[in-house]
Amino acid sequence: KTCAADAITQYYIEGKEALDWHRLTFFTAFGLTYLGAFQYALYVKAFGRLFPHASRFADSADLSSRLRDMLAVRDLALQVAAGNFIHIPFIFLPSFYAMQEISER
């Protein structure tokens, strides 16, 4: 995904006639390691252990039964909050911008 996103950005947004292969390689590696491996470990494995009831929210058949399971709703809200207010600003964004800076050297 990151490979395609960077190629599209280079061609259509930045208007480059040829791909910057060094940059494309860096962002492809970032996508495979961080977005693929690390985020899988974080969101699936770690969040599954930290917020064990959140998966029940998706397993319920209808919305009313989902909303009655207050432990599932609480864990789902905590999972969303941890992703948006801890992981993204303090782990993802610094990693992304560090990788972007390295790719421009």
Side-chain angles (χ1 to χ4, degrees), residues 34-105:
Y34 188 87
L35 300 176
F38 176 76
Q39 283 191 350
Y40 171 79
L42 176 69
Y43 284 117
V44 176
K45 301 297 184 182
F47 276 20
R49 288 186 189 102
L50 292 170
F51 311 108
H53 306 290
S55 64
R56 288 200 319 245
F57 191 86
D59 294 339
S60 297
D62 57 69
L63 183 60
S64 63
S65 63
R66 291 176 184 182
L67 295 176
R68 282 193 302 271
D69 187 349
M70 293 311 294
L71 284 175
V73 171
R74 183 204 65 191
D75 274 7
L76 181 64
L78 289 172
Q79 187 174 0
V80 169
N84 286 316
F85 301 114
I86 297 171
H87 169 246
I88 298 296
F90 297 111
I91 301 171
F92 172 73
L93 289 175
S95 300
F96 175 80
Y97 286 118
M99 201 60 169
Q100 185 178 30
E101 184 66 27
I102 291 168
S103 75
E104 292 175 356
R105 289 183 179 181

